[in-house]
Amino acid sequence: MGAESVPRREVVTGRPRPSGTTTAPRTAPVPHPGSEVFPEPLIRRQLKAALIATALLAVLLGLLPVLLRVLPFADAAPRVPLAVWLLLGVAPYPALLAIGAWYVRRAERNESGPAADAPAERP
């Protein structure tokens, strides 16, 4: 009644590499502050847009319980009026869609480069 040994399983995903040769990892070049690809202004603009969108969403969704408490039909416990269903199920979505569309437009404008931020030249 000895325990049967289970054969060891190995996963092979590629050619075996020689054990003595290793390559040094390659690092991306670090841009200097004067170059066009310096990411800090882009990151700051994207972070600002993300924080604004998050704050708008938090205010929009955070005020729903307050609005439900303030409205006169809040005490109609057994029968929930149609207005509550509309307020919870329909009203937030156009605002969510508008905030999302604004954020996407802002992100695309931010990523289009510094030429998009500059005012247009007049002839």
Side-chain angles (χ1 to χ4, degrees):
M1 296 262 166
E4 291 184 27
S5 64
V6 178
R8 190 173 136 196
R9 300 181 89 187
E10 293 186 26
V11 177
V12 179
T13 58
R15 293 183 305 198
R17 296 183 188 164
S19 62
T21 60
T22 58
T23 58
R26 297 181 198 168
T27 58
V30 177
H32 59 283
S35 73
E36 290 182 23
V37 293
F38 196 64
E40 282 188 24
L42 174 64
I43 291 172
R44 267 189 254 117
R45 288 192 309 261
Q46 292 288 62
L47 179 63
K48 182 181 175 185
L51 290 176
I52 290 172
T54 303
L56 287 173
L57 290 171
V59 167
L60 171 73
L61 297 177
L63 286 179
L64 278 177
V66 174
L67 185 60
L68 286 173
R69 193 64 170 147
V70 171
L71 290 176
F73 51 79
D75 294 327
R79 253 189 45 203
V80 180
L82 180 64
V84 173
W85 288 104
L86 290 176
L87 183 66
L88 290 176
V90 177
Y93 293 104
L96 293 174
L97 184 66
I99 292 170
W102 170 82
Y103 179 75
V104 168
R105 281 194 313 269
R106 178 94 182 249
E108 287 175 350
R109 188 179 66 208
N110 285 343
E111 291 178 358
S112 66
D117 294 339
E121 293 183 22
R122 294 183 184 166

